[in-house]
Amino acid sequence: MIELTGVSKQYFGQNRVLEQVHLSLNKGDFLYVVGGSGAGKSSLLRLLATEETPTHGAIKLFGYDLQKSSARQLRSIRQVIGYIPQSIQLIGDLTVIDNLELSFKLGGSKITGTQSRARMGELMDRLGLTSKRDTLVNQLSGGEAQRVAVARALVRNPEMIVADEPTGAQDLEYTWAMMDLFVKANLGGTTLVIATHDREIVKRVRKRTAVLKQGKLIVE
Amino acid sequence: MFLIKLGMRPWMKSTFSQMLTGIGLAALVSIMGVIWQLDRKLGPVVRKLNREQTVTVFLKPIDHAKVEANNEKSFEIVDQIRAEIGAKNLDVKFTSTADFLAETKTAYPDLYQELDAGGAEVQALLPEFVTVSGEIRPEQIEKLKTFEFTESIDSSRQKFLHAAGAFQALRWIGRFFLVGLLLTLASGILHLSRILGYFHVESTRVIKQWGGGFWQLRAPALISGLSLGAFSSLITLAIWVGLGQKMVILLQGLSPFLKDIEVPQSSLTVVMAAASLFVGLVSGWLSSQFALSDNLRRN
Ligand SMILES: Nc1ncnc2c1ncn2[C@@H]1O[C@H](COP(=O)(O)OP(=O)(O)O)[C@@H](O)[C@H]1O
Ligand SMILES: [Mg+2]
């Protein structure tokens, strides 16, 4: 379902961040991407989330070759991805609930309004956001905003969740609440790719792990 | 819903500059409309002043001796002028001493009384003349000079030439301003679009990442532009409804030649308001492109 072949990434005027990366994931897979700071985790996840394009190599998502896909195909790929970027990327001038609704509506989901409201309510409850429902995202703390980003990815029931250090700004309670939600989504068939440097979660929720080192991806 | 919220964001974030921009656009569009109308209305006036003239052919006083033949003679002269200068569209009119006196009586009663008191002696000094009015070519004027009954010739064109020139100058000054204002408007639209575009860069990026379609990507910026255009078009409407009549009265006062200029019809007011709305729409579209182009650079 997800196929990276010989993928390299080089930012302008720099050494290669990713070097000949090969990766293959099936529907329902769960993969951790670990590696030190600056190892290229975010670069890899940005490629998976279609936020950036590779310098070399091919990426296939849900049967579409990214380089060859039309704007329409690219759009339908993005509609089934739940992306939690390291830099959050919420719309600051919208409320928490509006940001969640955006994800839901743009996803072209077939779920009814009532179901989606129930789902949003549940997610906000689990992530401690219920009291912030109508707060502008600009006025949230970093940790709260990160939880909104997680809820935004989960609310559309995506085919794949690409999470870039989603627990980075969380205390233990929310870290495990998040992991619980991720595992549940995974059991429902969602593919998960989580970049993290938190050894604790990798140890406690044991899944396939890939290590990024000097641009190479080694899947254990 | 969130698209509308995003679109209306500039109004929330910078209410004052939005309103000022809307008013400024309305003023700009309205002034351009006034100049455009001025040009349109002055055109025919200038053309008329340039082409149409009334040539007065003063007749030699010989005819006064034979008063009884006067009436006949007048027809003869008129016919001769008609025939020889090819005056198809020209209005040729004979004014005898008696006609002249009659006209004086109504127009200048005081002068008439003097002339009347002076009797036949004074009246004999009054000129008789033929007026030829319409679009007269220079060679036709030359021909008029050659008739044996012609004493002298006076052309109204010489009289109104300065007026025609002044109006024509006014038109060109107007056009010059119009070009300047057009450039101002264009640069205004461009800057406005950039600023509105920056307003939407972040949210456009998010909408794109989350799978927004063509219109979803452009809706916020379009709504921003259109709402500004709608506001500005209301102001334009107010300007034209409120000041249109005043402007026309001022214009009419400029010269008696302009007294026929009409008050702008409601259709023109609607056109001006629509122009303001259109400016908003263009800004909206451009700003959506700006908002997108920052993203497109990435992929
Ligand atoms: N947009 C960018 N432009 C240039 N260099 C970048 C950019 N993003 C990341 N890099 C560089 O690529 C390397 C890997 O970054 P990143 O993928 O963020 O690593 P990680 O997420 O593992 O910390 C870093 O050295 C960083 O400086
Ligand atoms: Mg990173």
Short mmCIF file of all heavy atoms in Angstrom, two decimals, chain B residues 200-228:
data_model
loop_
_atom_site.label_atom_id
_atom_site.label_comp_id
_atom_site.label_asym_id
_atom_site.label_seq_id
_atom_site.Cartn_x
_atom_site.Cartn_y
_atom_site.Cartn_z
N HIS B 200 -3.99 34.46 4.00
CA HIS B 200 -4.52 33.12 3.80
C HIS B 200 -3.46 32.07 3.51
O HIS B 200 -3.81 30.93 3.25
CB HIS B 200 -5.56 33.16 2.67
CG HIS B 200 -6.74 34.02 2.99
ND1 HIS B 200 -7.60 33.72 4.01
CD2 HIS B 200 -7.19 35.17 2.46
CE1 HIS B 200 -8.53 34.65 4.08
NE2 HIS B 200 -8.30 35.55 3.15
N VAL B 201 -2.20 32.47 3.53
CA VAL B 201 -1.14 31.52 3.19
C VAL B 201 -1.18 30.30 4.11
O VAL B 201 -1.26 29.16 3.66
CB VAL B 201 0.25 32.17 3.24
CG1 VAL B 201 1.34 31.11 3.25
CG2 VAL B 201 0.44 33.08 2.05
N GLU B 202 -1.19 30.55 5.41
CA GLU B 202 -1.13 29.45 6.37
C GLU B 202 -2.34 28.52 6.24
O GLU B 202 -2.21 27.31 6.17
CB GLU B 202 -1.05 30.00 7.80
CG GLU B 202 0.32 30.50 8.18
CD GLU B 202 1.43 29.47 7.95
OE1 GLU B 202 1.24 28.28 8.31
OE2 GLU B 202 2.46 29.86 7.39
N SER B 203 -3.52 29.15 6.21
CA SER B 203 -4.73 28.32 6.17
C SER B 203 -4.85 27.60 4.84
O SER B 203 -5.31 26.46 4.78
CB SER B 203 -5.96 29.17 6.45
OG SER B 203 -5.98 30.29 5.60
N THR B 204 -4.40 28.24 3.76
CA THR B 204 -4.45 27.58 2.46
C THR B 204 -3.57 26.33 2.46
O THR B 204 -3.93 25.28 1.92
CB THR B 204 -3.99 28.53 1.34
OG1 THR B 204 -4.79 29.70 1.39
CG2 THR B 204 -4.15 27.90 -0.03
N ARG B 205 -2.43 26.48 3.12
CA ARG B 205 -1.50 25.36 3.21
C ARG B 205 -2.15 24.19 3.96
O ARG B 205 -2.04 23.04 3.55
CB ARG B 205 -0.26 25.86 3.96
CG ARG B 205 0.90 24.93 3.86
CD ARG B 205 2.13 25.64 4.38
NE ARG B 205 2.95 24.72 5.10
CZ ARG B 205 3.92 25.06 5.93
NH1 ARG B 205 4.15 26.35 6.16
NH2 ARG B 205 4.63 24.16 6.53
N VAL B 206 -2.82 24.53 5.05
CA VAL B 206 -3.50 23.48 5.82
C VAL B 206 -4.61 22.84 4.99
O VAL B 206 -4.72 21.61 4.92
CB VAL B 206 -4.07 24.06 7.14
CG1 VAL B 206 -4.96 23.04 7.83
CG2 VAL B 206 -2.93 24.50 8.05
N ILE B 207 -5.42 23.68 4.35
CA ILE B 207 -6.54 23.15 3.55
C ILE B 207 -6.01 22.23 2.46
O ILE B 207 -6.59 21.18 2.16
CB ILE B 207 -7.38 24.31 2.97
CG1 ILE B 207 -8.10 25.04 4.10
CG2 ILE B 207 -8.38 23.79 1.95
CD1 ILE B 207 -8.75 26.34 3.68
N LYS B 208 -4.88 22.62 1.89
CA LYS B 208 -4.29 21.80 0.83
C LYS B 208 -3.81 20.45 1.38
O LYS B 208 -4.10 19.40 0.82
CB LYS B 208 -3.12 22.55 0.21
CG LYS B 208 -2.56 21.85 -0.98
CD LYS B 208 -1.57 22.74 -1.70
CE LYS B 208 -1.10 22.03 -2.94
NZ LYS B 208 -0.41 22.92 -3.86
N GLN B 209 -3.10 20.53 2.50
CA GLN B 209 -2.58 19.30 3.12
C GLN B 209 -3.72 18.33 3.48
O GLN B 209 -3.56 17.12 3.40
CB GLN B 209 -1.77 19.66 4.36
CG GLN B 209 -1.27 18.47 5.16
CD GLN B 209 -0.23 17.67 4.39
OE1 GLN B 209 0.75 18.21 3.90
NE2 GLN B 209 -0.46 16.36 4.26
N TRP B 210 -4.84 18.89 3.84
CA TRP B 210 -5.95 18.04 4.28
C TRP B 210 -6.91 17.69 3.16
O TRP B 210 -8.00 17.19 3.39
CB TRP B 210 -6.66 18.68 5.48
CG TRP B 210 -5.73 18.61 6.66
CD1 TRP B 210 -4.72 19.49 6.95
CD2 TRP B 210 -5.64 17.57 7.63
NE1 TRP B 210 -4.01 19.06 8.04
CE2 TRP B 210 -4.55 17.89 8.49
CE3 TRP B 210 -6.36 16.40 7.87
CZ2 TRP B 210 -4.17 17.05 9.54
CZ3 TRP B 210 -5.99 15.59 8.93
CH2 TRP B 210 -4.90 15.92 9.75
N GLY B 211 -6.49 17.96 1.93
CA GLY B 211 -7.25 17.45 0.79
C GLY B 211 -8.33 18.36 0.27
O GLY B 211 -9.31 17.89 -0.29
N GLY B 212 -8.18 19.66 0.45
CA GLY B 212 -9.17 20.60 -0.07
C GLY B 212 -9.14 20.65 -1.59
O GLY B 212 -8.09 20.50 -2.20
N GLY B 213 -10.30 20.86 -2.20
CA GLY B 213 -10.41 20.93 -3.65
C GLY B 213 -10.21 22.34 -4.17
O GLY B 213 -9.91 23.27 -3.40
N PHE B 214 -10.39 22.49 -5.47
CA PHE B 214 -10.15 23.76 -6.16
C PHE B 214 -10.82 24.95 -5.47
O PHE B 214 -10.18 25.94 -5.14
CB PHE B 214 -10.67 23.64 -7.60
CG PHE B 214 -10.36 24.82 -8.46
CD1 PHE B 214 -9.19 24.86 -9.20
CD2 PHE B 214 -11.24 25.89 -8.54
CE1 PHE B 214 -8.90 25.95 -10.01
CE2 PHE B 214 -10.95 26.98 -9.34
CZ PHE B 214 -9.79 27.01 -10.07
N TRP B 215 -12.13 24.82 -5.22
CA TRP B 215 -12.86 25.96 -4.65
C TRP B 215 -12.60 26.12 -3.16
O TRP B 215 -12.61 27.23 -2.64
CB TRP B 215 -14.35 25.85 -4.95
CG TRP B 215 -14.61 26.05 -6.41
CD1 TRP B 215 -15.00 25.11 -7.32
CD2 TRP B 215 -14.46 27.27 -7.15
NE1 TRP B 215 -15.09 25.67 -8.56
CE2 TRP B 215 -14.76 26.99 -8.51
CE3 TRP B 215 -14.09 28.57 -6.80
CZ2 TRP B 215 -14.72 27.96 -9.50
CZ3 TRP B 215 -14.04 29.54 -7.80
CH2 TRP B 215 -14.34 29.23 -9.13
N GLN B 216 -12.39 24.97 -2.49
CA GLN B 216 -12.11 25.07 -1.05
C GLN B 216 -10.80 25.79 -0.81
O GLN B 216 -10.66 26.54 0.14
CB GLN B 216 -12.07 23.67 -0.44
CG GLN B 216 -13.46 23.06 -0.30
CD GLN B 216 -13.42 21.56 -0.15
OE1 GLN B 216 -12.50 20.89 -0.62
NE2 GLN B 216 -14.41 21.02 0.53
N LEU B 217 -9.84 25.57 -1.73
CA LEU B 217 -8.55 26.24 -1.59
C LEU B 217 -8.67 27.74 -1.84
O LEU B 217 -7.94 28.54 -1.26
CB LEU B 217 -7.55 25.65 -2.59
CG LEU B 217 -6.96 24.31 -2.21
CD1 LEU B 217 -6.21 23.70 -3.39
CD2 LEU B 217 -6.00 24.48 -1.03
N ARG B 218 -9.60 28.12 -2.72
CA ARG B 218 -9.68 29.53 -3.11
C ARG B 218 -10.77 30.30 -2.38
O ARG B 218 -10.77 31.53 -2.39
CB ARG B 218 -9.91 29.62 -4.61
CG ARG B 218 -8.66 29.27 -5.39
CD ARG B 218 -8.95 28.95 -6.84
NE ARG B 218 -7.74 28.64 -7.59
CZ ARG B 218 -7.12 27.47 -7.57
NH1 ARG B 218 -7.61 26.49 -6.83
NH2 ARG B 218 -6.02 27.28 -8.27
N ALA B 219 -11.70 29.56 -1.77
CA ALA B 219 -12.86 30.22 -1.16
C ALA B 219 -12.49 31.32 -0.14
O ALA B 219 -13.01 32.43 -0.24
CB ALA B 219 -13.78 29.20 -0.53
N PRO B 220 -11.58 31.04 0.82
CA PRO B 220 -11.32 32.09 1.81
C PRO B 220 -10.85 33.40 1.18
O PRO B 220 -11.40 34.47 1.48
CB PRO B 220 -10.22 31.47 2.68
CG PRO B 220 -10.42 30.02 2.56
CD PRO B 220 -10.87 29.80 1.14
N ALA B 221 -9.88 33.32 0.27
CA ALA B 221 -9.36 34.55 -0.34
C ALA B 221 -10.44 35.20 -1.21
O ALA B 221 -10.59 36.43 -1.21
CB ALA B 221 -8.13 34.23 -1.18
N LEU B 222 -11.21 34.38 -1.91
CA LEU B 222 -12.27 34.93 -2.75
C LEU B 222 -13.32 35.64 -1.90
O LEU B 222 -13.80 36.72 -2.25
CB LEU B 222 -12.95 33.82 -3.56
CG LEU B 222 -12.29 33.48 -4.90
CD1 LEU B 222 -13.01 32.31 -5.54
CD2 LEU B 222 -12.33 34.68 -5.82
N ILE B 223 -13.65 35.02 -0.78
CA ILE B 223 -14.65 35.63 0.12
C ILE B 223 -14.10 36.95 0.66
O ILE B 223 -14.81 37.95 0.73
CB ILE B 223 -15.03 34.66 1.25
CG1 ILE B 223 -15.85 33.51 0.68
CG2 ILE B 223 -15.83 35.38 2.34
CD1 ILE B 223 -16.07 32.36 1.64
N SER B 224 -12.82 36.96 1.01
CA SER B 224 -12.20 38.21 1.49
C SER B 224 -12.34 39.30 0.45
O SER B 224 -12.76 40.42 0.75
CB SER B 224 -10.72 38.00 1.78
OG SER B 224 -10.55 37.15 2.88
N GLY B 225 -11.97 38.97 -0.79
CA GLY B 225 -12.02 39.96 -1.86
C GLY B 225 -13.43 40.40 -2.17
O GLY B 225 -13.72 41.59 -2.29
N LEU B 226 -14.33 39.42 -2.25
CA LEU B 226 -15.71 39.74 -2.60
C LEU B 226 -16.39 40.56 -1.52
O LEU B 226 -17.16 41.48 -1.83
CB LEU B 226 -16.49 38.45 -2.84
CG LEU B 226 -16.61 38.00 -4.29
CD1 LEU B 226 -17.41 36.72 -4.38
CD2 LEU B 226 -17.26 39.09 -5.14
N SER B 227 -16.11 40.24 -0.26
CA SER B 227 -16.76 41.01 0.81
C SER B 227 -16.26 42.44 0.80
O SER B 227 -17.02 43.39 1.00
CB SER B 227 -16.53 40.35 2.17
OG SER B 227 -15.16 40.32 2.46
N LEU B 228 -14.98 42.61 0.51
CA LEU B 228 -14.44 43.96 0.40
C LEU B 228 -15.08 44.68 -0.79
O LEU B 228 -15.47 45.84 -0.70
CB LEU B 228 -12.92 43.90 0.23
CG LEU B 228 -12.19 45.23 0.29
CD1 LEU B 228 -12.36 45.86 1.66
CD2 LEU B 228 -10.71 45.06 -0.03
#
